[in-house]
PDB file of all heavy atoms in Angstrom:
ATOM      1  N   SER A   1     -21.422  -5.546 -28.775  1.00 96.00           N
ATOM      2  CA  SER A   1     -20.367  -6.563 -28.722  1.00 96.00           C
ATOM      3  C   SER A   1     -19.705  -6.601 -27.342  1.00 96.00           C
ATOM      4  O   SER A   1     -19.577  -5.575 -26.657  1.00 96.00           O
ATOM      5  CB  SER A   1     -19.295  -6.274 -29.772  1.00 96.00           C
ATOM      6  OG  SER A   1     -19.847  -6.294 -31.067  1.00 96.00           O
ATOM      7  N   VAL A   2     -19.272  -7.797 -26.966  1.00 96.00           N
ATOM      8  CA  VAL A   2     -18.564  -8.009 -25.705  1.00 96.00           C
ATOM      9  C   VAL A   2     -17.199  -8.620 -25.999  1.00 96.00           C
ATOM     10  O   VAL A   2     -17.090  -9.554 -26.803  1.00 96.00           O
ATOM     11  CB  VAL A   2     -19.356  -8.947 -24.764  1.00 96.00           C
ATOM     12  CG1 VAL A   2     -18.550  -9.259 -23.502  1.00 96.00           C
ATOM     13  CG2 VAL A   2     -20.704  -8.332 -24.394  1.00 96.00           C
ATOM     14  N   VAL A   3     -16.165  -8.080 -25.371  1.00 95.00           N
ATOM     15  CA  VAL A   3     -14.832  -8.679 -25.428  1.00 95.00           C
ATOM     16  C   VAL A   3     -14.415  -9.006 -24.004  1.00 95.00           C
ATOM     17  O   VAL A   3     -14.928  -8.418 -23.043  1.00 95.00           O
ATOM     18  CB  VAL A   3     -13.797  -7.746 -26.092  1.00 95.00           C
ATOM     19  CG1 VAL A   3     -14.166  -7.460 -27.530  1.00 95.00           C
ATOM     20  CG2 VAL A   3     -13.644  -6.447 -25.307  1.00 95.00           C
ATOM     21  N   PHE A   4     -13.501  -9.948 -23.870  1.00 95.00           N
ATOM     22  CA  PHE A   4     -13.063 -10.361 -22.541  1.00 95.00           C
ATOM     23  C   PHE A   4     -11.606  -9.972 -22.311  1.00 95.00           C
ATOM     24  O   PHE A   4     -10.764 -10.136 -23.190  1.00 95.00           O
ATOM     25  CB  PHE A   4     -13.230 -11.871 -22.364  1.00 95.00           C
ATOM     26  CG  PHE A   4     -14.662 -12.317 -22.391  1.00 95.00           C
ATOM     27  CD1 PHE A   4     -15.180 -12.987 -23.485  1.00 95.00           C
ATOM     28  CD2 PHE A   4     -15.504 -12.038 -21.328  1.00 95.00           C
ATOM     29  CE1 PHE A   4     -16.499 -13.380 -23.523  1.00 95.00           C
ATOM     30  CE2 PHE A   4     -16.834 -12.427 -21.356  1.00 95.00           C
ATOM     31  CZ  PHE A   4     -17.331 -13.099 -22.455  1.00 95.00           C
ATOM     32  N   PHE A   5     -11.350  -9.438 -21.137  1.00 94.00           N
ATOM     33  CA  PHE A   5      -9.984  -9.168 -20.681  1.00 94.00           C
ATOM     34  C   PHE A   5      -9.819  -9.932 -19.367  1.00 94.00           C
ATOM     35  O   PHE A   5     -10.113  -9.427 -18.292  1.00 94.00           O
ATOM     36  CB  PHE A   5      -9.769  -7.664 -20.487  1.00 94.00           C
ATOM     37  CG  PHE A   5      -8.427  -7.292 -19.920  1.00 94.00           C
ATOM     38  CD1 PHE A   5      -7.275  -7.916 -20.371  1.00 94.00           C
ATOM     39  CD2 PHE A   5      -8.322  -6.314 -18.949  1.00 94.00           C
ATOM     40  CE1 PHE A   5      -6.032  -7.587 -19.840  1.00 94.00           C
ATOM     41  CE2 PHE A   5      -7.093  -5.969 -18.423  1.00 94.00           C
ATOM     42  CZ  PHE A   5      -5.943  -6.607 -18.876  1.00 94.00           C
ATOM     43  N   ARG A   6      -9.404 -11.181 -19.505  1.00 93.00           N
ATOM     44  CA  ARG A   6      -9.424 -12.094 -18.356  1.00 93.00           C
ATOM     45  C   ARG A   6      -8.345 -11.788 -17.319  1.00 93.00           C
ATOM     46  O   ARG A   6      -8.379 -12.320 -16.205  1.00 93.00           O
ATOM     47  CB  ARG A   6      -9.320 -13.537 -18.856  1.00 93.00           C
ATOM     48  CG  ARG A   6     -10.504 -13.907 -19.771  1.00 93.00           C
ATOM     49  CD  ARG A   6     -10.545 -15.370 -20.151  1.00 93.00           C
ATOM     50  NE  ARG A   6     -11.578 -15.627 -21.142  1.00 93.00           N
ATOM     51  CZ  ARG A   6     -12.870 -15.793 -20.864  1.00 93.00           C
ATOM     52  NH1 ARG A   6     -13.281 -15.747 -19.617  1.00 93.00           N
ATOM     53  NH2 ARG A   6     -13.742 -16.024 -21.839  1.00 93.00           N
ATOM     54  N   LYS A   7      -7.405 -10.929 -17.668  1.00 93.00           N
ATOM     55  CA  LYS A   7      -6.373 -10.528 -16.701  1.00 93.00           C
ATOM     56  C   LYS A   7      -6.758  -9.251 -15.949  1.00 93.00           C
ATOM     57  O   LYS A   7      -5.962  -8.710 -15.199  1.00 93.00           O
ATOM     58  CB  LYS A   7      -5.042 -10.318 -17.427  1.00 93.00           C
ATOM     59  CG  LYS A   7      -4.430 -11.600 -17.974  1.00 93.00           C
ATOM     60  CD  LYS A   7      -3.063 -11.350 -18.592  1.00 93.00           C
ATOM     61  CE  LYS A   7      -2.445 -12.659 -19.104  1.00 93.00           C
ATOM     62  NZ  LYS A   7      -1.104 -12.439 -19.703  1.00 93.00           N
ATOM     63  N   MET A   8      -7.983  -8.786 -16.165  1.00 94.00           N
ATOM     64  CA  MET A   8      -8.431  -7.559 -15.509  1.00 94.00           C
ATOM     65  C   MET A   8      -8.362  -7.690 -13.984  1.00 94.00           C
ATOM     66  O   MET A   8      -8.825  -8.681 -13.410  1.00 94.00           O
ATOM     67  CB  MET A   8      -9.869  -7.221 -15.920  1.00 94.00           C
ATOM     68  CG  MET A   8     -10.343  -5.845 -15.440  1.00 94.00           C
ATOM     69  SD  MET A   8     -12.130  -5.590 -15.691  1.00 94.00           S
ATOM     70  CE  MET A   8     -12.319  -5.879 -17.444  1.00 94.00           C
ATOM     71  N   VAL A   9      -7.785  -6.704 -13.340  1.00 90.00           N
ATOM     72  CA  VAL A   9      -7.668  -6.693 -11.883  1.00 90.00           C
ATOM     73  C   VAL A   9      -8.028  -5.291 -11.398  1.00 90.00           C
ATOM     74  O   VAL A   9      -7.526  -4.299 -11.949  1.00 90.00           O
ATOM     75  CB  VAL A   9      -6.235  -7.030 -11.415  1.00 90.00           C
ATOM     76  CG1 VAL A   9      -6.175  -7.102  -9.886  1.00 90.00           C
ATOM     77  CG2 VAL A   9      -5.751  -8.333 -12.035  1.00 90.00           C
ATOM     78  N   ASP A  10      -8.901  -5.198 -10.402  1.00 88.00           N
ATOM     79  CA  ASP A  10      -9.192  -3.879  -9.850  1.00 88.00           C
ATOM     80  C   ASP A  10      -8.359  -3.640  -8.595  1.00 88.00           C
ATOM     81  O   ASP A  10      -7.936  -4.572  -7.913  1.00 88.00           O
ATOM     82  CB  ASP A  10     -10.688  -3.697  -9.563  1.00 88.00           C
ATOM     83  CG  ASP A  10     -11.285  -4.819  -8.758  1.00 88.00           C
ATOM     84  OD1 ASP A  10     -10.611  -5.838  -8.565  1.00 88.00           O
ATOM     85  OD2 ASP A  10     -12.435  -4.692  -8.308  1.00 88.00           O
ATOM     86  N   ILE A  11      -8.109  -2.377  -8.315  1.00 86.00           N
ATOM     87  CA  ILE A  11      -7.318  -1.982  -7.155  1.00 86.00           C
ATOM     88  C   ILE A  11      -8.056  -2.402  -5.880  1.00 86.00           C
ATOM     89  O   ILE A  11      -9.279  -2.268  -5.796  1.00 86.00           O
ATOM     90  CB  ILE A  11      -7.106  -0.452  -7.159  1.00 86.00           C
ATOM     91  CG1 ILE A  11      -6.268  -0.022  -8.371  1.00 86.00           C
ATOM     92  CG2 ILE A  11      -6.459   0.021  -5.868  1.00 86.00           C
ATOM     93  CD1 ILE A  11      -4.843  -0.486  -8.351  1.00 86.00           C
ATOM     94  N   PRO A  12      -7.341  -2.915  -4.856  1.00 83.00           N
ATOM     95  CA  PRO A  12      -8.005  -3.285  -3.600  1.00 83.00           C
ATOM     96  C   PRO A  12      -8.765  -2.102  -3.008  1.00 83.00           C
ATOM     97  O   PRO A  12      -8.224  -0.994  -2.906  1.00 83.00           O
ATOM     98  CB  PRO A  12      -6.834  -3.692  -2.695  1.00 83.00           C
ATOM     99  CG  PRO A  12      -5.732  -4.062  -3.627  1.00 83.00           C
ATOM    100  CD  PRO A  12      -5.896  -3.193  -4.834  1.00 83.00           C
ATOM    101  N   TYR A  13      -9.998  -2.337  -2.648  1.00 75.00           N
ATOM    102  CA  TYR A  13     -10.878  -1.282  -2.151  1.00 75.00           C
ATOM    103  C   TYR A  13     -11.087  -1.448  -0.652  1.00 75.00           C
ATOM    104  O   TYR A  13     -11.495  -2.504  -0.185  1.00 75.00           O
ATOM    105  CB  TYR A  13     -12.205  -1.345  -2.906  1.00 75.00           C
ATOM    106  CG  TYR A  13     -13.264  -0.382  -2.440  1.00 75.00           C
ATOM    107  CD1 TYR A  13     -12.979   0.965  -2.279  1.00 75.00           C
ATOM    108  CD2 TYR A  13     -14.552  -0.818  -2.175  1.00 75.00           C
ATOM    109  CE1 TYR A  13     -13.950   1.850  -1.871  1.00 75.00           C
ATOM    110  CE2 TYR A  13     -15.541   0.056  -1.776  1.00 75.00           C
ATOM    111  CZ  TYR A  13     -15.233   1.403  -1.622  1.00 75.00           C
ATOM    112  OH  TYR A  13     -16.210   2.275  -1.208  1.00 75.00           O
ATOM    113  N   ASN A  14     -10.805  -0.380   0.099  1.00 72.00           N
ATOM    114  CA  ASN A  14     -10.963  -0.406   1.556  1.00 72.00           C
ATOM    115  C   ASN A  14     -10.177  -1.544   2.199  1.00 72.00           C
ATOM    116  O   ASN A  14     -10.677  -2.232   3.098  1.00 72.00           O
ATOM    117  CB  ASN A  14     -12.447  -0.512   1.939  1.00 72.00           C
ATOM    118  CG  ASN A  14     -13.124   0.844   1.978  1.00 72.00           C
ATOM    119  OD1 ASN A  14     -12.488   1.847   2.249  1.00 72.00           O
ATOM    120  ND2 ASN A  14     -14.403   0.870   1.703  1.00 72.00           N
ATOM    121  N   LYS A  15      -8.949  -1.751   1.720  1.00 78.00           N
ATOM    122  CA  LYS A  15      -8.087  -2.796   2.270  1.00 78.00           C
ATOM    123  C   LYS A  15      -6.785  -2.188   2.770  1.00 78.00           C
ATOM    124  O   LYS A  15      -6.285  -1.202   2.219  1.00 78.00           O
ATOM    125  CB  LYS A  15      -7.765  -3.853   1.199  1.00 78.00           C
ATOM    126  CG  LYS A  15      -8.968  -4.553   0.590  1.00 78.00           C
ATOM    127  CD  LYS A  15      -9.605  -5.517   1.555  1.00 78.00           C
ATOM    128  CE  LYS A  15     -10.746  -6.289   0.877  1.00 78.00           C
ATOM    129  NZ  LYS A  15     -11.438  -7.193   1.804  1.00 78.00           N
ATOM    130  N   ASN A  16      -6.232  -2.793   3.803  1.00 82.00           N
ATOM    131  CA  ASN A  16      -4.930  -2.376   4.305  1.00 82.00           C
ATOM    132  C   ASN A  16      -3.877  -2.547   3.222  1.00 82.00           C
ATOM    133  O   ASN A  16      -3.773  -3.602   2.601  1.00 82.00           O
ATOM    134  CB  ASN A  16      -4.572  -3.231   5.534  1.00 82.00           C
ATOM    135  CG  ASN A  16      -3.294  -2.772   6.203  1.00 82.00           C
ATOM    136  OD1 ASN A  16      -2.286  -2.536   5.556  1.00 82.00           O
ATOM    137  ND2 ASN A  16      -3.341  -2.630   7.522  1.00 82.00           N
ATOM    138  N   LEU A  17      -3.080  -1.501   2.996  1.00 80.00           N
ATOM    139  CA  LEU A  17      -2.081  -1.521   1.930  1.00 80.00           C
ATOM    140  C   LEU A  17      -1.087  -2.663   2.089  1.00 80.00           C
ATOM    141  O   LEU A  17      -0.643  -3.258   1.098  1.00 80.00           O
ATOM    142  CB  LEU A  17      -1.330  -0.181   1.902  1.00 80.00           C
ATOM    143  CG  LEU A  17      -0.162  -0.065   0.915  1.00 80.00           C
ATOM    144  CD1 LEU A  17      -0.642  -0.306  -0.507  1.00 80.00           C
ATOM    145  CD2 LEU A  17       0.508   1.295   1.045  1.00 80.00           C
ATOM    146  N   TRP A  18      -0.753  -2.989   3.345  1.00 84.00           N
ATOM    147  CA  TRP A  18       0.323  -3.956   3.588  1.00 84.00           C
ATOM    148  C   TRP A  18      -0.183  -5.376   3.823  1.00 84.00           C
ATOM    149  O   TRP A  18       0.584  -6.257   4.188  1.00 84.00           O
ATOM    150  CB  TRP A  18       1.183  -3.501   4.773  1.00 84.00           C
ATOM    151  CG  TRP A  18       1.698  -2.102   4.573  1.00 84.00           C
ATOM    152  CD1 TRP A  18       1.356  -0.988   5.274  1.00 84.00           C
ATOM    153  CD2 TRP A  18       2.608  -1.666   3.549  1.00 84.00           C
ATOM    154  NE1 TRP A  18       1.997   0.109   4.782  1.00 84.00           N
ATOM    155  CE2 TRP A  18       2.789  -0.273   3.716  1.00 84.00           C
ATOM    156  CE3 TRP A  18       3.298  -2.319   2.520  1.00 84.00           C
ATOM    157  CZ2 TRP A  18       3.613   0.473   2.895  1.00 84.00           C
ATOM    158  CZ3 TRP A  18       4.123  -1.570   1.699  1.00 84.00           C
ATOM    159  CH2 TRP A  18       4.281  -0.191   1.883  1.00 84.00           C
ATOM    160  N   SER A  19      -1.463  -5.603   3.599  1.00 86.00           N
ATOM    161  CA  SER A  19      -1.982  -6.970   3.718  1.00 86.00           C
ATOM    162  C   SER A  19      -1.486  -7.798   2.531  1.00 86.00           C
ATOM    163  O   SER A  19      -1.189  -7.262   1.454  1.00 86.00           O
ATOM    164  CB  SER A  19      -3.510  -6.973   3.742  1.00 86.00           C
ATOM    165  OG  SER A  19      -4.033  -6.620   2.477  1.00 86.00           O
ATOM    166  N   ILE A  20      -1.398  -9.093   2.725  1.00 85.00           N
ATOM    167  CA  ILE A  20      -0.938  -9.975   1.645  1.00 85.00           C
ATOM    168  C   ILE A  20      -1.859  -9.855   0.438  1.00 85.00           C
ATOM    169  O   ILE A  20      -1.404  -9.806  -0.715  1.00 85.00           O
ATOM    170  CB  ILE A  20      -0.865 -11.436   2.138  1.00 85.00           C
ATOM    171  CG1 ILE A  20       0.230 -11.579   3.207  1.00 85.00           C
ATOM    172  CG2 ILE A  20      -0.598 -12.386   0.977  1.00 85.00           C
ATOM    173  CD1 ILE A  20       0.299 -12.937   3.849  1.00 85.00           C
ATOM    174  N   TYR A  21      -3.160  -9.784   0.691  1.00 84.00           N
ATOM    175  CA  TYR A  21      -4.130  -9.668  -0.396  1.00 84.00           C
ATOM    176  C   TYR A  21      -3.861  -8.416  -1.233  1.00 84.00           C
ATOM    177  O   TYR A  21      -3.806  -8.480  -2.474  1.00 84.00           O
ATOM    178  CB  TYR A  21      -5.552  -9.619   0.161  1.00 84.00           C
ATOM    179  CG  TYR A  21      -6.599  -9.307  -0.882  1.00 84.00           C
ATOM    180  CD1 TYR A  21      -7.065 -10.288  -1.748  1.00 84.00           C
ATOM    181  CD2 TYR A  21      -7.107  -8.010  -1.018  1.00 84.00           C
ATOM    182  CE1 TYR A  21      -8.006 -10.001  -2.723  1.00 84.00           C
ATOM    183  CE2 TYR A  21      -8.050  -7.709  -1.987  1.00 84.00           C
ATOM    184  CZ  TYR A  21      -8.494  -8.715  -2.835  1.00 84.00           C
ATOM    185  OH  TYR A  21      -9.421  -8.421  -3.797  1.00 84.00           O
ATOM    186  N   SER A  22      -3.686  -7.260  -0.573  1.00 83.00           N
ATOM    187  CA  SER A  22      -3.465  -6.013  -1.295  1.00 83.00           C
ATOM    188  C   SER A  22      -2.181  -6.053  -2.108  1.00 83.00           C
ATOM    189  O   SER A  22      -2.150  -5.649  -3.276  1.00 83.00           O
ATOM    190  CB  SER A  22      -3.417  -4.832  -0.318  1.00 83.00           C
ATOM    191  OG  SER A  22      -4.674  -4.607   0.259  1.00 83.00           O
ATOM    192  N   LEU A  23      -1.124  -6.549  -1.515  1.00 85.00           N
ATOM    193  CA  LEU A  23       0.161  -6.601  -2.208  1.00 85.00           C
ATOM    194  C   LEU A  23       0.074  -7.493  -3.450  1.00 85.00           C
ATOM    195  O   LEU A  23       0.610  -7.160  -4.513  1.00 85.00           O
ATOM    196  CB  LEU A  23       1.252  -7.094  -1.265  1.00 85.00           C
ATOM    197  CG  LEU A  23       1.593  -6.138  -0.101  1.00 85.00           C
ATOM    198  CD1 LEU A  23       2.566  -6.806   0.864  1.00 85.00           C
ATOM    199  CD2 LEU A  23       2.181  -4.832  -0.630  1.00 85.00           C
ATOM    200  N   LEU A  24      -0.629  -8.625  -3.315  1.00 87.00           N
ATOM    201  CA  LEU A  24      -0.804  -9.518  -4.462  1.00 87.00           C
ATOM    202  C   LEU A  24      -1.628  -8.855  -5.561  1.00 87.00           C
ATOM    203  O   LEU A  24      -1.334  -8.999  -6.754  1.00 87.00           O
ATOM    204  CB  LEU A  24      -1.471 -10.827  -4.023  1.00 87.00           C
ATOM    205  CG  LEU A  24      -0.580 -11.832  -3.274  1.00 87.00           C
ATOM    206  CD1 LEU A  24      -1.419 -12.986  -2.742  1.00 87.00           C
ATOM    207  CD2 LEU A  24       0.526 -12.354  -4.194  1.00 87.00           C
ATOM    208  N   GLN A  25      -2.663  -8.119  -5.152  1.00 85.00           N
ATOM    209  CA  GLN A  25      -3.505  -7.440  -6.136  1.00 85.00           C
ATOM    210  C   GLN A  25      -2.716  -6.390  -6.916  1.00 85.00           C
ATOM    211  O   GLN A  25      -2.832  -6.291  -8.141  1.00 85.00           O
ATOM    212  CB  GLN A  25      -4.704  -6.774  -5.451  1.00 85.00           C
ATOM    213  CG  GLN A  25      -5.797  -7.740  -5.024  1.00 85.00           C
ATOM    214  CD  GLN A  25      -6.501  -8.383  -6.210  1.00 85.00           C
ATOM    215  OE1 GLN A  25      -6.197  -9.517  -6.575  1.00 85.00           O
ATOM    216  NE2 GLN A  25      -7.431  -7.675  -6.804  1.00 85.00           N
ATOM    217  N   TYR A  26      -1.907  -5.603  -6.202  1.00 84.00           N
ATOM    218  CA  TYR A  26      -1.112  -4.579  -6.889  1.00 84.00           C
ATOM    219  C   TYR A  26      -0.109  -5.224  -7.839  1.00 84.00           C
ATOM    220  O   TYR A  26       0.166  -4.697  -8.927  1.00 84.00           O
ATOM    221  CB  TYR A  26      -0.397  -3.689  -5.871  1.00 84.00           C
ATOM    222  CG  TYR A  26      -1.278  -2.597  -5.309  1.00 84.00           C
ATOM    223  CD1 TYR A  26      -1.766  -2.664  -3.998  1.00 84.00           C
ATOM    224  CD2 TYR A  26      -1.642  -1.499  -6.083  1.00 84.00           C
ATOM    225  CE1 TYR A  26      -2.578  -1.669  -3.482  1.00 84.00           C
ATOM    226  CE2 TYR A  26      -2.467  -0.500  -5.569  1.00 84.00           C
ATOM    227  CZ  TYR A  26      -2.927  -0.590  -4.273  1.00 84.00           C
ATOM    228  OH  TYR A  26      -3.739   0.393  -3.778  1.00 84.00           O
ATOM    229  N   PHE A  27       0.424  -6.371  -7.444  1.00 88.00           N
ATOM    230  CA  PHE A  27       1.356  -7.098  -8.314  1.00 88.00           C
ATOM    231  C   PHE A  27       0.628  -7.575  -9.582  1.00 88.00           C
ATOM    232  O   PHE A  27       1.133  -7.437 -10.700  1.00 88.00           O
ATOM    233  CB  PHE A  27       1.948  -8.289  -7.559  1.00 88.00           C
ATOM    234  CG  PHE A  27       2.872  -9.140  -8.389  1.00 88.00           C
ATOM    235  CD1 PHE A  27       4.129  -8.686  -8.758  1.00 88.00           C
ATOM    236  CD2 PHE A  27       2.467 -10.402  -8.815  1.00 88.00           C
ATOM    237  CE1 PHE A  27       4.982  -9.471  -9.533  1.00 88.00           C
ATOM    238  CE2 PHE A  27       3.307 -11.198  -9.589  1.00 88.00           C
ATOM    239  CZ  PHE A  27       4.564 -10.721  -9.950  1.00 88.00           C
ATOM    240  N   LYS A  28      -0.602  -8.095  -9.401  1.00 89.00           N
ATOM    241  CA  LYS A  28      -1.390  -8.556 -10.548  1.00 89.00           C
ATOM    242  C   LYS A  28      -1.771  -7.394 -11.462  1.00 89.00           C
ATOM    243  O   LYS A  28      -1.779  -7.530 -12.688  1.00 89.00           O
ATOM    244  CB  LYS A  28      -2.661  -9.254 -10.061  1.00 89.00           C
ATOM    245  CG  LYS A  28      -2.427 -10.608  -9.391  1.00 89.00           C
ATOM    246  CD  LYS A  28      -3.754 -11.177  -8.911  1.00 89.00           C
ATOM    247  CE  LYS A  28      -3.579 -12.487  -8.178  1.00 89.00           C
ATOM    248  NZ  LYS A  28      -4.872 -12.995  -7.653  1.00 89.00           N
TER     249      LYS A  28
END
């Protein structure tokens, strides 16, 4: 069986902590 978790977010990998992308990902 497969279930979906559409809000799944993985931690930014090899990204600067203070980049806009990283900050948005941690918020998500």
Side-chain angles (χ1 to χ4, degrees):
S1 299
V2 175
V3 298
F4 295 106
F5 176 42
R6 299 187 187 278
K7 292 184 178 180
M8 188 190 304
V9 184
D10 51 350
I11 295 293
Y13 176 50
N14 275 331
K15 301 288 185 183
N16 186 313
L17 175 59
W18 306 112
S19 70
I20 294 175
Y21 172 79
S22 292
L23 293 173
L24 284 172
Q25 285 293 100
Y26 278 107
F27 177 72
K28 290 178 183 177

